[in-house]
Structure formats: structure tokens, C-alpha cells
């Protein structure tokens, strides 16, 4: 049965990212009338390397957008480790059929979702919620269009803050960032190569993990690989204000004799298109206050180390829609069911992100040595396995 717009409940979604679009599509199916506001003037692609695991693909399938998401998983998976001399040592090799996790750039997922949003769901660009009042008079939101300066006060039945790790909705409704952002004392700089590094297999995943610093090179099937530099620091605030290349040249000075490090730093020198940011998780005891909820990085940012941020945003939107389908008349029951179902999944991935961060950027020499020893075992096993050739 078609929904009648005049009787549909209205939901305001702040943020046109993966969390915002997935919840909009899911809630529209559950009979809601979503309006998405996005602060930027137009969609802009975030083309960084992203793993896209089974949970996310299943959620995308439920939303009807899986086929619209372009995937770039390489056919072969060769894993090389950079040793202390800079040699690339093969430590595992496989042929990927099912592709788990699949490899995409973030905008592949966003484009897939957009194909179901465009023309179907109201989207207002250059728009922010500048005040949110959830009281006796209902949920009233003052919206401002930063391009025209126009302000309108509108009534909604639900508001979803899907506005990322540094969420304004969270700050306004739940409290200051310091209460919820848990620092990893870690920085990341990620960018795509214009062309593959010289003399290095463009389909290989390359990892160098040294104490407090790491480099990863991640391949795609149909574009040049992505580079990720990461390092630990107790003073995240001091990392802004200087070009990342200057900082990284200092941090990786001890590794400059390794050809892959030298080439990756040179490539960064020549690009303006990089992401450089600190790493934080978001920990909250509840993602809900009255008629306002948070979803995606704003609620539970898992960090890039979990490899599950995109899947959690998709899955979170799908579970929200399903909860409203089960409890169409009762907001409290629907939101309680949503949070109850999602919490164990988010908690598990949040806990795993710590060890995965330690594995990629070890914090102590002892851990670095243990990881190097583990790689040696993998290398030996790989050499011994029948049918495998170096
Ligand atoms: C370098 C890096 C690598 C990553 N790698 C992976 C990976 O391999 N696998 C994985 O699963 N995840 C990865 N992630 C995490 C993943 O990208 C995020 O978890 C996911 O994109 C979160 O989506 P979101 O919609 O919650 O937030 P966002 O993508 O941050 O979207 C928020 C949206 O809200 C808008 N917005 C912000 N403030 C306002 C406002 N006040 N008003 C209106 N609009 C606003 C923003 O413009 C944006 O469009 C990585 C993240 C980074 C930074």
C-alpha cells in the first residue's frame, strides 16, 4: 500500500554519508518521510580505500543497492611484508573468489546508496540544523541554508544525527566531544597513488609495521593502489598546522633506506589530495535522547582499524528500519529494539579495533618483534605449502 505523505511521520537526517543515506532508505520503506540535510553545497566523492565486509554487503542487498556498488577487489591477494632492510617478503598468497572483505573506495558505497536516494528522498544541501528543541511542543528544528541565509523552523517526529565522528548533533543534544571521543593517540595519512610504485607488484598488499609507525599499500583491481601512513603520538593537537609530508619525513626518517617508504613519501610530496586526521572511537552508553538518535560514526565511530565503519553504518540503518517495521506505532519500543539489537555487534567490533591498531602500528618493541616473528612463520609456512611457488 502506498504511504500517504500527509500522515507519514517526518524524520530529519543530518548528514548525507553512508549512515544518513542507509537510514533514509530503510525508514522510507518503513513508512517514514525522510528529509536529509547536508552541510556541503554538493556531493563530493571521498575516494579513499575502504574494506567492505559481508555484513555491509548484506545490508546493502537489503536496501536494494548492492548491485549499484562498484567493487574493486583484486583477483589475486599477495601479501608482502617490508623487512628491516626494506626487502619485500611474501608472507601469504591467495586467489580471491568471494572477495571478503571486498575492496571499494568510500564513494563507491555512497554512489550506490545515492542511486536509491536521488529523486526519491528530499535532500537539502548547504543546510545545517542550528538549533534542536525536543520538548512539550514536540521536536522543533531550526534549519539554516548557508548559501541563502534562509532559516526555517520545522517540526519532525524523529531526528537522526548521521553527521560523522565530530558530530554537531551529538555536541548539541548529548554533550561535548570530550565526553565521548576516545583518542587512539594515533594519526593517519591516506592517499591514492597516481601510478603504481616502481618495481612493486600493483596487486600486492604491502605492510610495514615498526614501533609507533606503519605503512600500508592497498591494491584495487582497477585503479592505482592506496597508501596509508600511520603513527602514534601523545600530542595529536600538535600534528595540525604543518604539512603532513614534513611530519612524515621526520617520523619515517629511520626507514628512508627502504625503497617502498622513500617512493611512498615522494608520491605524497606530489599530491594535494590526501586525508590526514587523528583517530578516535566514539563511546556512548546510549545513542538516544528523547526523539533524537545518533547513527554511524557520530554514535560509535569504530575507527579505520576495525575495517567495519561502513558496514556498521549500513547495518545500523537497516536494523533501524526493521525495528520500525516491527513497532510501527511505538517510537520508544522501536528505538529500544534497534539499540538492543545493534549493541553487541558494535561492541564486538569496537573491542577488536584496539588489537588491530596494535597489530598495524605496534606501540612497543616487544610487540613489533612478536609481529615480525609471526611474519617469519607465515613466510616459512607459505614456502612449505605444496603447489605454491614464490
Ligand atoms: C582513512 C580512513 C579509512 C577508513 N577505512 C575504512 C575501511 O577500510 N573499512 C570501513 O568499513 N571503514 C573505514 N573507514 C570508516 C568509514 O569511512 C566510516 O565509518 C563511514 O564512512 C562512516 O559514515 P558516516 O555516514 O557515519 O559518517 P561520514 O562519512 O563522516 O558522513 C557524515 C556526513 O555528515 C555531513 N555533516 C557533518 N556535519 C554536518 C552538519 N553539521 N550538518 C549537516 N551535515 C553534516 C558530512 O559532510 C558528511 O557528508 C575509514 C575511515 C577513514 C577516515
Amino acid at each position: 500500500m502506498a504511504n500517504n505523505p500527509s500522515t507519514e511521520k517526518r524524520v530529519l537526517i543530518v548528514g548525507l554519508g553512508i549512515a544518513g543515506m542507509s537510514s533514509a532508505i530503510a525508514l522510507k520503506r518503513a513508512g517514514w518521510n525522510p528529509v536529509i540535510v547536508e552541510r556541503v553545497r554538493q556531493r563530493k566523492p571521498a575516494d579513499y580505500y575502504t574494506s567492505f565486509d559481508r555484513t555491509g554487503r548484506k545490508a546493502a542487498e537489503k536496501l536494494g543497492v548492492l548491485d549499484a556498488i562498484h567493487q574493486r577487489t583484486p583477483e589475486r591477494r599477495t601479501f608482502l611484508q617490508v623487512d628491516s632492510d626494506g626487502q619485500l617478503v611474501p608472507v601469504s598468497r591467495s586467489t580471491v573468489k568471494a572477495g571478503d572483505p571486498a575492496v571499494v573506495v568510500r564513494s563507491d558505497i555512497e554512489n550506490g546508496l545515492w542511486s536509491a536516494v536521488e529523486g526519491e528522498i528530499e535532500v537539502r544541501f548547504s543546510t545545517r540544523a542550528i538549533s534542536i528543541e525536543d520538548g512539550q511542543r514536540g521536536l522543533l528544528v531550526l534549519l539554516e541554508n548557508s548559501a541563502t541565509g534562509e532559516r526555517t523552523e520545522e517540526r519532525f517526529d524523529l531526528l537522526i544525527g548521521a553527521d560523522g565522528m565530530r558530530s554537531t548533533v551529538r555536541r548539541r543534544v548529548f554533550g561535548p566531544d570530550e565526553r565521548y571521543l576516545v583518542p587512539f593517540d594515533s594519526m593517519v595519512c591516506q592517499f591514492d597513488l597516481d601510478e603504481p610504485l616502481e618495481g612493486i607488484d600493483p596487486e600486492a598488499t604491502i605492510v610495514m609495521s615498526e614501533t609507533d609507525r606503519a605503512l600500508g599499500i592497498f591494491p584495487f583491481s582497477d585503479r592505482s593502489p592506496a597508501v596509508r601512513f600511520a603513527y602514534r603520538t601523545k600530542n595529536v593537537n600538535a600534528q595540525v598546522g604543518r604539512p603532513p609530508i614534513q611530519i612524515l619525513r621526520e617520523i619515517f626518517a629511520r626507514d628512508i633506506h627502504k625503497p617502498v617508504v622513500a617512493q611512498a613519501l615522494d608520491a605524497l610530496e606530489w599530491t594535494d589530495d590526501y586525508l590526514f586526521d587523528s583517530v578516535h572511537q566514539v563511546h556512548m552508553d546510549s545513542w538516544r535522547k528523547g526523539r533524537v538518535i545518533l547513527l554511524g560514526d557520530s554514535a560509535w565511530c569504530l575507527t579505520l582499524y576495525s575495517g567495519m565503519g561502513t558496514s556498521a553504518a549500513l547495518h545500523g540503518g537497516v536494523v533501524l528500519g526493521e525495528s520500525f517495521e516491527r513497532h510501527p506505532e511505538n517510537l520508544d519500543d522501536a528505538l529500544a529494539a534497534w539499540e538492543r539489537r545493534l549493541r553487541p555487534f558494535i561492541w564486538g567490533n569496537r573491542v577488536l579495533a584496539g588489537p588491530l591498531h596494535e597489530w598495524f602500528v605496534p606501540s612497543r618493541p616487544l610487540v613489533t618483534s612478536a609481529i615480525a616473528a609471526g611474519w617469519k612463520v607465515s613466510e616459512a609456512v607459505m614456502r612449505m605449502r605444496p603447489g605454491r611457488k614464490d
Side-chain angles (χ1 to χ4, degrees):
M1 194 173 70
N3 296 308
N4 176 356
S6 64
T7 58
E8 279 172 353
K9 291 192 216 95
R10 295 184 83 210
V11 51
L12 177 69
I13 297 170
V14 180
L16 184 72
I18 296 172
M21 285 193 273
S22 59
S23 40
I25 300 166
L27 284 184
K28 190 173 163 70
R29 280 201 189 161
W32 284 72
N33 177 17
V35 176
I36 305 180
V37 292
E38 167 56 53
R39 69 176 166 189
V40 302
R41 213 155 31 95
Q42 58 187 43
R43 292 185 63 234
K44 53 174 186 200
D47 272 353
Y48 57 77
Y49 172 97
T50 304
S51 59
F52 183 33
D53 105 306
R54 206 172 277 139
T55 309
R57 297 204 301 275
K58 201 165 164 208
E61 194 172 15
K62 285 187 177 176
L63 294 170
V65 299
L66 185 60
D67 291 343
I69 296 176
H70 180 66
Q71 297 184 30
R72 304 166 191 272
T73 315
E75 264 294 302
R76 283 185 300 123
R77 281 197 172 170
T78 308
F79 210 86
L80 307 173
Q81 187 248 338
V82 186
D83 73 8
S84 54
D85 297 328
Q87 298 300 313
L88 301 182
V89 183
V91 286
S92 84
R93 187 169 290 163
S94 62
T95 305
V96 178
K97 285 271 189 299
D100 199 62
V103 172
V104 296
V105 292
R106 193 179 99 183
S107 58
D108 292 328
I109 301 180
E110 291 177 334
N111 291 342
L113 289 163
W114 179 247
S115 68
V117 167
E118 190 179 20
E120 298 293 326
I121 289 170
E122 182 181 346
V123 178
R124 302 183 200 166
F125 287 96
S126 304
T127 304
R128 292 172 310 148
I130 58 168
S131 85
I132 299 164
E133 190 193 308
D134 184 15
Q136 299 287 329
R137 296 192 302 145
L139 177 61
L140 292 170
V141 185
L142 185 62
L143 296 168
E144 183 181 72
N145 182 313
S146 58
T148 62
E150 190 191 348
R151 288 182 170 196
T152 52
E153 190 180 56
E154 294 183 36
R155 190 180 293 277
F156 293 91
D157 299 286
L158 176 68
L159 187 152
I160 302 178
D163 51 346
M165 180 177 82
R166 295 185 177 87
S167 165
T168 307
V169 173
R170 190 183 61 231
R171 221 173 297 131
R172 279 193 207 294
V173 178
F174 294 81
D177 285 355
E178 303 79 66
R179 203 180 288 168
Y180 304 111
L181 285 186
V182 177
F184 264 38
D185 294 334
S186 195
M187 299 292 296
V188 61
C189 179
Q190 192 158 315
F191 62 100
D192 280 357
L193 293 168
D194 285 337
E195 49 191 48
L197 299 178
E198 221 179 289
I200 293 173
D201 178 359
E203 284 195 45
T205 300
I206 299 169
V207 172
M208 182 197 82
S209 295
E210 297 290 348
T211 307
D212 287 339
R213 62 196 191 283
L215 167 68
I217 300 194
F218 303 101
F220 298 100
S221 62
D222 59 359
R223 55 191 277 163
S224 295
V227 175
R228 180 185 295 165
F229 284 106
Y231 63 94
R232 290 180 185 260
T233 170
K234 287 281 173 219
N235 193 352
V236 159
N237 292 339
Q239 310 305 304
V240 286
R242 273 204 305 155
I245 182 66
Q246 273 182 22
I247 301 173
L248 290 168
R249 282 208 182 277
E250 288 168 17
I251 303 265
F252 287 85
R254 284 163 290 179
D255 307 294
I256 203 71
H257 63 285
K258 302 173 184 173
V260 64
V261 175
Q263 283 198 62
L265 285 168
D266 286 347
L268 174 60
E269 188 108 47
W270 288 102
T271 183
D272 293 328
D273 196 5
Y274 55 78
L275 180 150
F276 182 58
D277 204 353
S278 50
V279 181
H280 304 260
Q281 282 190 333
V282 173
H283 292 192
M284 301 185 78
D285 290 338
S286 173
W287 302 318
R288 177 188 178 194
K289 199 167 185 183
R291 279 165 278 212
V292 180
I293 65 166
L294 300 172
L295 198 151
D297 277 8
S298 61
W300 53 66
C301 183
L302 298 170
T303 77
L304 65 156
Y305 293 109
S306 78
M308 291 297 287
T310 53
S311 289
L314 284 158
H315 183 55
V318 167
V319 173
L320 184 66
E322 289 173 351
S323 301
F324 274 110
E325 278 167 19
R326 273 186 214 134
H327 305 276
E329 298 306 329
N330 193 319
L331 190 88
D332 285 332
D333 286 356
L335 294 180
W338 167 69
E339 205 162 344
R340 224 175 17 248
R341 220 179 117 193
L342 212 52
R343 281 254 163 214
F345 171 80
I346 297 297
W347 184 84
N349 284 299
R350 183 172 104 185
V351 168
L352 276 179
L356 289 167
H357 182 215
E358 189 65 42
W359 177 79
F360 189 62
V361 199
S363 63
R364 290 186 295 276
L366 191 68
V367 181
T368 316
S369 308
I371 290 170
W375 285 131
K376 286 223 176 313
V377 173
S378 298
E379 183 198 350
V381 170
M382 205 193 84
R383 283 179 191 281
M384 283 184 319
R385 280 170 78 181
R388 305 255 171 195
K389 291 193 193 105
D390 276 353

